Amino acid sequence: MRPRITSERPGRAPGGRPVARHGWPAALAVVLAASIAMLAVAAAGLWAAGTADLPKGAFGPVVLATVVTAVGGTVDLSGNAGDLARTNAGLTVVPLSVTLVGALVAGGGFLRPLRHRAVAGAGELAGWAARIAVLWLLALTGLASGARHTFAVDVGSGVLSALTDALDAAPRAGFTTDVPRTAGFGLLWLAGMLLLALLVSRGAPLPGRLLRFQASVRPAAYAMVVLVLAYVALALVIALVAMVTRGHARQTLAVILLGLPNLAWPALTLGLGATWKGRVDGPFGLPVPKVLAEVLRTPDVSTLNLRTISAHDGRWWWLAGVAAVLLAAAAFLMAARSPARIRARQHALHLAVALALTMLTLCLTCRVSAHYGLSLLGIGDLGGNLSGELLLEPVLWPAVGLGVLWGLVAGFLGALLARPVPRRGEPAA
């Protein structure tokens, strides 16, 4: 008989071990833990970035807006400067450190009641996920409703200040949240994260009809998660060393708590040969190494890849070496976790698909776009510190194609390296 959990009374897993409940209280605990963890990381990162000094109680709404954008929510920037002037602004960036913390906490909470199970019914898994989704929707709606504020823009002193005063055109900028869109994208983020958690965990149960897919999907998914987390861990070590040796501890802490994966994951794509397009203009800046800032701060859109970076500093070819070594290790891990019956060419195909999807996801989530400008009497951006542009976009489909090629080679190599390792489906030597 298939083991079964109900939310009304605890059951028993094989071996007599009690099975955890996964009813509404457990779902509430998952949502609260994820929300509190994300709010704490966002607040600490924004404090380190200096936003605690924002006027008129803006810190709280900014923290809420950061969490909202971390799960795919939509924050709209707006501005006005009286009847004769206007401000315009746009921002697209995901604080991926906050996203990663929320995914790890929520994913772990989702899997916890499912431990010690071999098989679970589709209805049972859907019901457990649905409880979390309903409570998550309520939490996200509350967060999004509070993520709104308006700021006065300081134009300094001199002629511009006098002109804005005379025209009653003091600029103001603010942000609001599109609650319906935020709820929709937030639910999509949750669904993707819970699905990935099921795919990655070897011990999580699957419906009986899907068990035949776990040998091909789970090892590859696990290897890709390990790969991207390894890049974050490596970036964390580099950031901590820089904090100790070069100072700027508070700024570095802000990068760690808000955007460490925003730096680590593009480095993975660059190491595999991907190309990004970018530009930095005006008061904006990216918390990136100096050589990357030099490549991006040009009059026109710049090309960012291994060739252009190494033209400024040849040592940056190490990105390719790190990518090759870590990808080979991930391929070996995938093969070692797979049944012995999987052939080398199948490993190559599995890793090619997984790495292509990973490259696509990283390129889409690591994009950055920001613009701010002030115009008076219909005249365009006034420049100076009142306008600027920041852009970092991937050349998407070539990057995905590179993921396929690298995956084919690394998957085949990983299968060869894992041949001496005893695996499921064959006796130990």
Side-chain angles (χ1 to χ4, degrees):
M1 180 179 295
R2 179 179 301 172
R4 181 172 179 267
I5 296 177
T6 67
S7 58
E8 290 78 20
R9 62 173 63 90
R12 291 262 169 187
R17 188 176 302 173
V19 174
R21 295 173 181 267
H22 57 295
W24 288 103
L28 179 61
V30 172
V31 172
L32 284 178
S35 300
I36 292 172
M38 296 175 76
L39 287 168
V41 172
L46 291 169
W47 169 84
T51 57
D53 299 328
L54 290 173
K56 296 182 179 179
F59 181 70
V62 171
V63 171
L64 297 180
T66 302
V67 174
V68 165
T69 57
V71 296
T74 302
V75 175
D76 298 321
L77 302 183
S78 60
N80 64 77
D83 296 329
L84 302 179
R86 64 180 181 177
T87 58
N88 58 83
L91 177 65
T92 302
V93 62
V94 180
L96 289 174
S97 291
V98 181
T99 304
L100 182 59
V101 168
L104 292 175
V105 174
F110 173 71
L111 294 176
R112 183 177 177 81
L114 303 174
R115 296 175 303 170
H116 316 306
R117 302 285 304 282
V119 180
E124 178 189 352
L125 291 176
W128 173 221
R131 293 183 184 93
I132 296 176
V134 169
L135 296 175
W136 174 246
L137 179 61
L138 295 176
L140 193 59
T141 301
L143 294 173
S145 299
R148 57 188 67 219
H149 199 78
T150 302
F151 305 87
V153 178
D154 184 9
V155 298
S157 58
V159 176
L160 183 58
S161 176
L163 184 59
T164 57
D165 290 340
L167 296 175
D168 191 23
R172 301 179 65 82
F175 62 88
T176 58
T177 305
D178 187 331
V179 177
R181 288 187 63 187
T182 295
F185 283 114
L187 285 177
L188 287 177
W189 174 85
L190 179 71
M193 184 272 300
L194 296 184
L195 176 60
L196 182 61
L198 276 177
L199 293 179
V200 168
S201 174
R202 176 184 281 183
L206 290 175
R209 294 180 179 178
L210 300 181
L211 288 176
R212 64 181 182 272
F213 297 111
Q214 67 178 348
S216 59
V217 175
R218 276 187 162 169
Y222 180 81
M224 290 299 96
V225 170
V226 169
L227 177 64
V228 297
L229 291 181
Y231 261 85
V232 174
L234 181 59
L236 177 60
V237 171
I238 295 173
L240 293 176
V241 171
M243 181 188 299
V244 173
T245 59
R246 300 182 182 179
H248 306 292
R250 189 162 174 172
Q251 294 90 328
T252 305
L253 182 61
V255 172
I256 291 173
L257 292 173
L258 294 175
L260 192 62
N262 297 74
L263 300 178
W265 293 340
L268 167 59
T269 67
L270 290 171
L272 296 179
T275 296
W276 293 68
K277 298 288 186 178
R279 181 171 183 257
V280 178
D281 178 57
F284 288 122
L286 283 172
V288 297
K290 182 179 179 181
V291 62
L292 299 185
E294 292 174 353
V295 173
L296 293 173
R297 194 170 284 279
T298 57
D300 299 317
V301 175
S302 303
T303 298
L304 185 66
N305 55 32
L306 279 179
R307 180 181 58 81
T308 58
I309 299 172
S310 299
H312 286 74
D313 188 341
R315 294 173 297 179
W316 282 84
W317 279 105
W318 65 266
L319 286 175
V322 171
V325 171
L326 291 182
L327 182 58
F332 170 82
L333 181 63
M334 180 194 73
R337 290 173 64 92
S338 300
R341 68 177 184 275
I342 304 296
R343 299 179 179 178
R345 64 174 180 270
Q346 293 174 298
H347 285 299
L349 180 60
H350 296 165
L351 190 62
V353 173
L355 187 57
L357 292 175
T358 300
M359 292 284 279
L360 176 63
T361 302
L362 297 184
C363 287
L364 292 177
T365 56
C366 293
R367 296 177 300 170
V368 178
S369 176
H371 171 80
Y372 178 76
L374 170 66
S375 61
L376 289 173
L377 300 173
I379 301 173
D381 289 347
L382 297 181
N385 288 327
L386 298 178
S387 67
E389 181 183 16
L390 188 154
L391 176 68
L392 188 63
E393 295 280 347
V395 182
L396 185 59
W397 296 115
V400 175
L402 285 168
V404 173
L405 294 177
W406 275 94
L408 289 172
V409 174
F412 193 86
L413 176 61
L416 298 181
L417 293 175
R419 277 184 176 177
V421 178
R423 288 176 280 167
R424 291 177 296 163
E426 67 179 9

